[in-house]
Structures are given as structure tokens and as C-alpha cells.
Amino acid sequence: MTLRNLARRVLPLLLAIPLTFSLAVSAAAETALPEDWGDIETRARGQTVYWNAWGGDAATNRYIAWVAGRVAQRHGVEVIHVKLDDTAAAVSRVIAEKSAGNLAEGAIDLVWINGENFAAMKRHDLLFGPFAQRLPNFSLTAPDDNPEMLTDFTLPTEGFEAPWGKAQLTFYYDAARVDEPPRDMQALLDWAKSHPGRFTYPLVPDFLGSTFLKQALLELVEDPTVLAEPATDHDVAAVTAPLWDYLDALHPHLWRQGRHFPTSGPELKQLMGDGELSLAFTFNPSEPAAAVADYQLPPSTRSYVLDGGTLGNVHFVAIPFNARHKAGAMVLANFLLSPEAQARKQDIAVWGDPTVLDMDRLDAAARALFTGEDGNPARLPPQALEKLLPEPHPSWMEALEAAWLARYAEG
């Protein structure tokens, strides 16, 4: 089965799992760990944590390798990065294990997850927890002052996820080719018509491609507030009709006339670096600046957000209910929230993924780890990212992906 088909089939499989059975499993698993954090660290020593995380970006992979080295050195925990093309593959693995009666020896100890995958797993108690509030470094996110640390696509995380990075849809362009980039979705359509083949978006259900659909829908829908509610509460076809009209008009003017799409964000960035595109977007506001610094994009690259704001969220890590090495997974999740790990992650020379830590919660030495402005013209100032649009309810992403695949998928 291809990953595209897998992504379309994961959620129906989840819905078939008996809820009462999974509740009993979750409650039993939660009592397995000691309450004292020092005891958890002691139990974690010598464990091997299999961290299932997206592996499609070299900078991200290098960062995770660095994390693995630090966690091994400090805590005696081995971390193995299981590289994923799609988080749905990890979800499918947990489903299969539970169906086979594997309730305590799961192959996945930690997973990078959010959105519809988290919503479905949480709904059916396929996650261990709550654990986030037990992590000593979790308080550094100041969750009472930053509610996004406790919410995933409108849903309360209730401690079943620990935050570790931020994201916001950010557009970027080659200023040597583009004088004035489009500032809203209608302007983007007009720009694409005037510059055929110079823009595209990743193939759905790639996360970045699906995010583009949500961004467009937020601008085009008659009443955006309906997107905060479950899609099943509304006439999905009627609500999303403006989006399909928009894409029908846009596709003929895309790269390769919309007959083919790049498979991922990194491929989209490569098309920009190769000069095939003049305008693109990312879900990491620092990525264009990092790519310029790494000579992947030209120095004439500039970043911006749409005038009405762009989608943003927090990404998390979670522990499956049947993880074999829960203590090690918690130690790893806690390290990911350390000032050392967060500062390195935010460095554009490393990855450029924004921190989830609240600077007011850090002492002077910890704050000093975070670098200031570096003069990179492709980097957006923090105030440019203040127009943040909330993610729709995860059911809308499911509905959009299914409809897009039915309308536009090849074959």
C-alpha cells in the first residue's frame, strides 16, 4: 500500500477500534511508571527509544542525530530515529499492534505528531498519558500564558502531547524575479495567471500541500468560524465549494500546468533553488533564511506572510499506549524542551525551527543561548508573524484531503 493510500485509510481503521477496550489498556499502562522524576530517569538509563519522526529533511535529520548523541551522553538512553514519509505510517503500526494483542511491547516509543493523527489516536486512547505536565521542562513553555501549548488543531491535548516546535505558513519569493508578491489568495491566482508555471504546491496529502488547501479555504469560505467546528456538523460540499472553484482556476497556471506536483516541501524548495519557481511557501518561518545561509536558495530570496495572516500551530511528540520504553521516551521529550535543545533547533545554521519556550521563564544564562538577529535578509522579524490564524478542526483536513484526491489525484 502506498503512503498516500495509507493516509486515506488510517482514520477509518481507528474508528473501528473498540473504545472501552482501549480505555482499560490506557489506564493500566499509565500506572507503570514511578511518580518521581529522578526514578524515571533511573529507569530510562539503558533503554533504547525508537522515535518515529518525519525524515524528509536533511537539516531536521541532523538535528535529531545531535539530540540522540546528547541524550545518550547525559542520560544513557539510546535514540534511534525511525524516518517516516508520513506520520500515518506510525499510526497504522500502532493500530496493527493493538489488533494483534500487543499491549506492552510496541515498536514505537515516541512519535512526532499533531493534527488529525493526534485527534484520532487520542479519541481512541492509543496514547500513553497524561505525561506532559510531568516533564520538568514543560513549565518553561508557560502553558497558562500560552494556550497553544495545550491545544492541537482546536483540541485540548490534556497532557497526551509535549510541545517541541512552532510553525507558521510563510511565503517566500525571489526578489530578482518578483517585484511585488501576491498578498492574498485572490492576488495569488491573478499572479499565477500572469506568471504561468512559476508557482505550485506539494501533492496532497503531504502536510504542506494540505496546509495550502486550509489556508485557501480560510480566505474563501463564507463563514470561517464553521472551520473551528467538526466538519460533520456542516454541509462539507457547500462549505468547500469555493475552494474547488479556486483550484480549478489555479491549476492550469501552476508548474507543469497542475498535472504534476512536487511530493514535499523540500522538493518545492529545490524547485525554487533550481530557478523553476519564483514563489513558494513553507511551514517553518526560518527555513528560507536557513536555505539562503546554506546556499540552497539565492541571496535575493525574501519572506513574507499574507496580509490577512497565515495558519500556524505547535507541533508535538507523543508516546503510544503500548510503548516499550516509556521512561526513555519521557526523558527524550523532556530534553527536547531544554533551553539547550530549543536554542540549537532555532539556530538557522542548524534547523531554524522556532522555540516553544517562553523567554520570561528562562534565566539570563538560558536566554543567552538564543541568538538574536543575524542580518539575513530572508528572515522575517518576529512581529511579522503576529497575524496567526488558528488551525481548523482536524476533521476538515481529512475532508479536504479526501476530496482533493478524488478530484485531482493521478491515476
Side-chain angles (χ1 to χ4, degrees), residues 351-379:
W351 179 3
D353 190 55
T355 182
V356 295
L357 301 187
D358 188 315
M359 292 298 108
D360 291 338
R361 292 295 181 93
L362 305 184
D363 59 28
R367 285 195 300 271
L369 297 174
F370 293 82
T371 57
E373 296 298 325
D374 56 12
N376 189 314
R379 183 197 284 273

Side-chain angles (χ1 to χ4, degrees), residues 74-95:
R74 293 189 175 185
H75 301 284
V77 175
E78 181 181 8
V79 177
I80 295 179
H81 179 193
V82 180
K83 298 181 177 67
L84 301 177
D85 292 324
D86 194 312
T87 305
V91 178
S92 181
R93 179 65 179 266
V94 177
I95 295 169

Side-chain angles (χ1 to χ4, degrees), residues 140-182:
L140 300 179
T141 68
D144 292 340
D145 298 324
N146 301 291
E148 66 271 22
M149 301 300 156
L150 304 172
T151 307
D152 188 346
F153 283 48
T154 76
L155 301 178
T157 61
E158 298 180 326
F160 287 89
E161 290 182 306
W164 76 297
K166 286 184 177 180
Q168 183 171 351
L169 191 65
T170 302
F171 285 77
Y172 59 99
Y173 64 100
D174 186 348
R177 298 171 178 264
V178 179
D179 293 328
E180 183 59 36

Side-chain angles (χ1 to χ4, degrees), residues 155-411:
L155 301 178
T157 61
E158 298 180 326
F160 287 89
E161 290 182 306
W164 76 297
K166 286 184 177 180
Q168 183 171 351
L169 191 65
T170 302
F171 285 77
Y172 59 99
Y173 64 100
D174 186 348
R177 298 171 178 264
V178 179
D179 293 328
E180 183 59 36
R183 298 286 176 171
D184 57 43
M185 297 307 294
Q186 183 57 51
L188 175 60
L189 175 59
D190 296 339
W191 186 92
K193 289 179 178 179
S194 301
H195 304 83
R198 306 302 298 175
F199 175 76
T200 190
Y201 62 92
L203 180 69
V204 176
D206 173 80
F207 182 81
L208 189 59
S210 299
T211 299
F212 179 76
L213 301 187
K214 291 185 291 182
Q215 178 70 38
L217 182 60
L218 276 167
E219 286 199 34
L220 299 168
V221 69
E222 182 176 347
D223 179 11
T225 63
V226 304
L227 301 180
E229 304 166 358
T232 52
D233 292 351
H234 299 277
D235 184 340
V236 174
V239 171
T240 60
L243 173 64
W244 311 125
D245 291 343
Y246 178 87
L247 293 181
D248 287 346
L250 177 67
H251 280 189
H253 308 287
L254 296 181
W255 177 73
R256 296 189 177 179
Q257 296 79 50
R259 299 191 183 97
H260 303 282
F261 295 85
T263 60
S264 65
E267 187 175 339
L268 184 68
K269 180 173 64 178
Q270 183 176 341
L271 290 174
M272 280 289 291
D274 291 344
E276 292 199 47
L277 302 178
S278 300
L279 175 69
F281 57 94
T282 175
F283 213 49
N284 179 349
S286 299
E287 183 177 15
V292 168
D294 197 34
Y295 305 102
Q296 297 179 53
L297 292 177
S300 51
T301 300
R302 300 293 183 269
S303 303
Y304 72 105
V305 295
L306 302 181
D307 287 345
T310 52
L311 277 169
N313 63 40
V314 173
H315 48 95
F316 300 83
V317 291
I319 303 171
F321 81 100
N322 65 341
R324 186 180 306 177
H325 307 114
K326 294 182 178 70
M330 289 178 67
V331 166
L332 172 56
N334 189 59
F335 178 76
L336 293 174
L337 286 172
S338 67
E340 177 191 11
Q342 288 283 306
R344 184 175 180 86
K345 181 168 62 69
Q346 184 169 284
D347 187 345
I348 65 168
V350 176
W351 179 3
D353 190 55
T355 182
V356 295
L357 301 187
D358 188 315
M359 292 298 108
D360 291 338
R361 292 295 181 93
L362 305 184
D363 59 28
R367 285 195 300 271
L369 297 174
F370 293 82
T371 57
E373 296 298 325
D374 56 12
N376 189 314
R379 183 197 284 273
L380 280 176
Q383 58 269 26
L385 299 170
E386 292 177 352
K387 292 184 179 179
L388 187 70
L389 301 181
E391 286 279 2
H393 188 277
S395 57
W396 286 103
M397 188 166 181
E398 301 160 24
L400 292 178
E401 289 177 346
W404 192 97
L405 289 165
R407 293 177 68 94
Y408 304 117
E410 300 173 354

